[in-house]
Amino acid sequence: MKIYLRKTFIEVGSITLFASRFFKEIFRPDFEVKEFIRQCRVIGYKSLPLVSITAFIMGLVLTIQSRPAMAKFGAESWIPGMVSLSLIREIAPVITALICAGKISSGIGAELGSMKVTEQIDAMEVSAINPYRYLVVTRILATTLMVPILVFYADLIGIYGGYIGVNMHGEVNLTRYFSQVFESLEFVDVIPATLKTFFFGFFIGMIGCHKGFNATSGTEGVGKAANSAVVSASLAIFIIDMIAVQLTDLFF
Amino acid sequence: MTKEINSAIKDQMTTVDQTVIEFKNVYKSFGNNAVLRGINLSVKKGENLVILGRSGSGKSIAIKCLVGLIKTDKGKILVSGTDITQLNESELNTIRRRVGFLFQNGALYDSMTVRENLTFTLAHNNKELTADEVESSVVESLENVGLAEAINQMPSELSGGMRKRVGLARALIIKPEIILYDEPTSGLDPITSREIIELILEIQKKFKTTSIIITHDLACAKLTGNNVMIIKDGVIHAEGNYESLSNSNDKWVRSFLT
């Protein structure tokens, strides 16, 4: 237990130092714009199919599952509002972030880990190229920007999935469905939920980069880096979510 | 400081027979494992120094300390008179721009083509160059290693020897005064090894580079080294030209070279 705690604190310290370097490097000149755009494409655009399918199913299933309970109270007309609130406030941000932790954080961990063990990061360093700025800053910024966009996209697709779910038991006009959704939403529902997704994105990128950058022991180390990136990023998402919910509860 | 380093290096480079690289009592340990225990060596301008030693004796660690990839525990490493152990990151980069490093497996960026591998290195170090100038330097550098036809290939499509040659082209593209070779012939067949050895000699002749060659390959040591050093127990155990070391009175040195 003592050793486990010690390891955890060392890990947290190491990630903190890694993050502090990010904030130092980000304000230096010569930002790697091309690599940042490439990473945005890889992280954002290439995750769209997975996010679309998951979000659609989330919205559809949530609607179908909540229908019997709502029907008992004669509150079927509340389904669009309830589904959209659940999706926007909690389900879409957390599920999308978890998908990104699995897909993006592990991908970054494996890619940078492989570069580390094959001396590609060393090669960059001896060529007087700052590998942290080229590899880490661009990836963390891309995840910080792309995850909120993916979550917003997942919100829309999920709500549309809800519309399909509602239409399975009766015909509801799309305009009426969306007007019911927007009537039930307030800025208080959207803003804290959106803010926390920036933190999700930041930690997904940060943990993936940290694990990859510190990979050791050859190919086995690459596997470990990818694996622990997913585990740590998923855990971080739940912890951030818990803090975000508490803060939202306090201030809104 | 960067300008001072540049002018110090230029002064040094114009003087023949000057010591370009010098290790003074360098120590490096990893935990309880003392790898370097007071290394002293010097390399003169235009010279090829070969460092031999058993696996794990610290040969690669020594050249990684020279480019600041690994921080030393104690001692000085002078490159053209500048102690690199005292430099910050940006000052160290000024030195690194004058040093080419050939890694054991080439260390090519595997998400980039051969062209991009070279362009990436050159464009980041010479931002004033136009796209045409970068392209012609890339082609010229690949021609120097006889691999112009591989320009559009991915590293995964190259053989071991080709990867090393592309790695060498990438090292040469910044026109370094010093080249560090980490096991340049390891894992290659005898014919390809011979080609790499010839390339090392050709580069020394053509570009007047100063080099440190880390190797286990005795043929490579014999053919490329103007001076040979053998590391044992973290210190330089023997030094001289290959022939004199082969006839050394030290039994261990003789057995190592046969």
Side-chain angles (χ1 to χ4, degrees), chain A residues 77 80-81 84 159-160 162-164 166-167 170-184:
Chain A
S77 61
S84 59
I159 292 169
Y160 183 75
Y163 167 72
I164 302 291
V166 167
N167 266 279
E171 210 167 297
V172 179
N173 182 288
L174 184 67
T175 320
R176 181 164 165 68
Y177 174 81
F178 270 93
S179 71
Q180 270 186 308
V181 166
F182 288 118
E183 267 170 30
S184 61

Side-chain angles (χ1 to χ4, degrees), chain A residues 24-115:
Chain A
K24 272 183 210 160
E25 297 280 356
I26 198 174
F27 295 111
R28 288 193 182 171
D30 297 332
F31 180 65
E32 301 282 352
V33 181
K34 263 189 188 173
E35 178 63 9
F36 169 68
I37 293 169
R38 194 178 79 86
Q39 286 305 323
C40 284
R41 188 178 167 276
V42 171
I43 290 164
Y45 178 68
K46 291 199 171 174
S47 302
L48 283 179
L50 189 59
V51 171
S52 304
I53 294 165
T54 322
F56 181 81
I57 294 170
M58 278 190 305
L60 182 73
V61 169
L62 188 63
T63 309
I64 295 169
Q65 294 280 39
S66 51
R67 170 176 278 282
M70 299 295 270
K72 265 187 197 170
F73 300 105
E76 282 165 291
S77 61
W78 286 8
I79 290 176
M82 193 214 68
V83 168
S84 59
L85 267 179
S86 312
L87 280 171
I88 289 171
R89 289 186 77 134
E90 192 59 33
I91 298 172
V94 172
I95 299 289
T96 308
L98 287 174
I99 290 167
C100 291
K103 184 181 179 290
I104 299 164
S105 203
S106 66
I108 292 174
E111 187 189 7
L112 297 196
S114 151
M115 289 184 78

Side-chain angles (χ1 to χ4, degrees), chain B residues 115-126:
Chain B
R115 173 188 274 115
E116 287 163 348
N117 260 278
L118 273 70
T119 307
F120 177 72
T121 307
L122 184 61
H124 272 80
N125 283 297
N126 295 282

Side-chain angles (χ1 to χ4, degrees), chain B residues 2 19 33 61 92 109 152 171 181 185 196 234 256 258:
Chain B
T2 306
T19 300
N33 180 21
I61 301 293
L92 197 56
Y109 310 126
N152 291 318
Y181 299 90
T185 56
I196 297 284
F256 193 89
T258 50

